[in-house]
Amino acid sequence: MKYLIALLLITNLTYSQEWSETKLNDFSSIKFPNKPEKTIQNTDIYYSASDDYGVYLVMIRNLGNRKISESELPEFYEGFMNGALKSVSGELIKQNDFKTNGINGNEMIYLANSNPQLPNLRHKRIFIANNNLISCEFWTNKDIEQLASINKEKFFNSISVSIKKGIETKKKETNSEYESGFLFGKIISFLLIIGLIIGGILLIRKLTRKKNKNVG
């Protein structure tokens, strides 16, 4: 009975979170459970936020002069996903195509084994809109997968995209997308590790101040 009450309280907390919409660029937006941190690496834009259930990540990459045709999308997506998996020594659980706002994309669920300090169960969706690659990820832990599923779905389902023009045709190299996925995984892991270190320092300082105050 106590377990059931605790479960209901946690579920209610999930529903009561005040999610807010974040404008990613001039044609897309998504909702986060709190205000995300925005960083820029080279020309890639990253948004990241977290709560008790997981980590929410978005990357936007302008493809520039590279144009991807519909027929090239599967190979393009496959290269990017393979790079992301390799960057975290990942174990693929499931991968399939999906559609959002009428746009064809690719998604996968995988376990990340490279860093035990970070959430290991990860859901990743990627798609191309207006010649921009958009990657959305939700990281959580396997033991709270069911509790976190509501937030995961709310995050992914909140993406809003308006199409300016169709995808044009031009050849590309799959290897570059493999490397892009690999780099993306490394950058995000690095940012999260830095966040964990800073959070730990702040917590230690807070506890130290409290202890000194009690002694005084």
Side-chain angles (χ1 to χ4, degrees):
M1 184 65 179
K2 290 181 179 180
Y3 175 79
L4 178 59
I5 293 174
L7 180 61
L8 290 174
L9 288 174
I10 293 173
T11 303
N12 287 334
L13 178 61
T14 305
Y15 278 114
S16 65
Q17 284 181 306
E18 294 183 4
W19 290 62
S20 59
E21 187 173 37
T22 296
K23 189 172 183 179
L24 302 174
N25 50 30
D26 62 349
F27 62 85
S28 66
S29 64
I30 197 170
K31 290 183 179 181
F32 288 91
N34 48 62
K35 185 177 180 180
E37 179 181 351
K38 179 180 179 180
T39 58
I40 299 176
Q41 294 286 336
N42 296 324
T43 58
D44 296 340
I45 302 173
Y46 298 86
Y47 293 88
S48 60
S50 63
D51 61 11
D52 292 339
Y53 301 95
V55 178
Y56 309 78
L57 306 165
V58 175
M59 182 206 75
I60 302 173
R61 169 171 297 160
N62 191 309
L63 298 178
N65 295 325
R66 182 185 301 170
K67 308 299 179 182
I68 313 297
S69 69
E70 286 287 345
S71 62
E72 293 173 319
L73 282 178
E75 186 180 5
F76 181 95
Y77 290 154
E78 189 67 24
F80 190 88
M81 291 302 207
N82 285 339
L85 274 177
K86 185 176 180 180
S87 71
V88 294
S89 301
E91 176 187 342
L92 181 64
I93 298 175
K94 182 180 179 182
Q95 184 174 7
N96 56 267
D97 296 329
F98 77 99
K99 182 171 286 190
T100 181
N101 294 251
I103 304 168
N104 293 320
N106 191 266
E107 63 181 346
M108 70 176 176
I109 304 172
Y110 64 104
L111 289 173
N113 302 309
S114 60
N115 192 329
Q117 294 181 330
L118 298 178
N120 63 339
L121 181 62
R122 304 183 182 182
H123 302 254
K124 184 180 186 72
R125 287 186 177 184
I126 60 172
F127 60 91
I128 293 176
N130 301 320
N131 210 42
N132 280 258
L133 172 66
I134 299 179
S135 172
C136 305
E137 290 198 54
F138 176 73
W139 297 5
T140 189
N141 288 306
K142 184 69 176 175
D143 56 351
I144 61 167
E145 179 179 5
Q146 292 302 316
L147 291 176
S149 63
I150 297 174
N151 281 24
K152 179 202 70 177
E153 291 300 322
K154 190 168 186 176
F155 176 62
F156 283 136
N157 292 336
S158 69
I159 185 72
S160 177
V161 181
S162 59
I163 301 299
K164 293 181 177 180
K165 56 184 178 180
I167 299 174
E168 300 177 30
T169 304
K170 188 176 180 180
K171 269 291 180 184
K172 58 88 186 79
E173 296 181 1
T174 302
N175 286 341
S176 66
E177 301 319 317
Y178 185 98
E179 294 168 0
S180 295
F182 187 92
L183 180 61
F184 174 57
K186 287 295 184 184
I187 290 174
I188 290 298
S189 295
F190 176 76
L191 291 174
L192 287 174
I193 290 171
I194 293 297
L196 287 172
I197 293 173
I198 294 174
I201 293 173
L202 292 175
L203 180 60
I204 291 171
R205 287 181 178 176
K206 183 177 180 181
L207 292 174
T208 302
R209 290 196 195 100
K210 187 175 181 180
K211 182 178 179 181
N212 291 337
K213 185 176 180 182
N214 291 335
V215 172

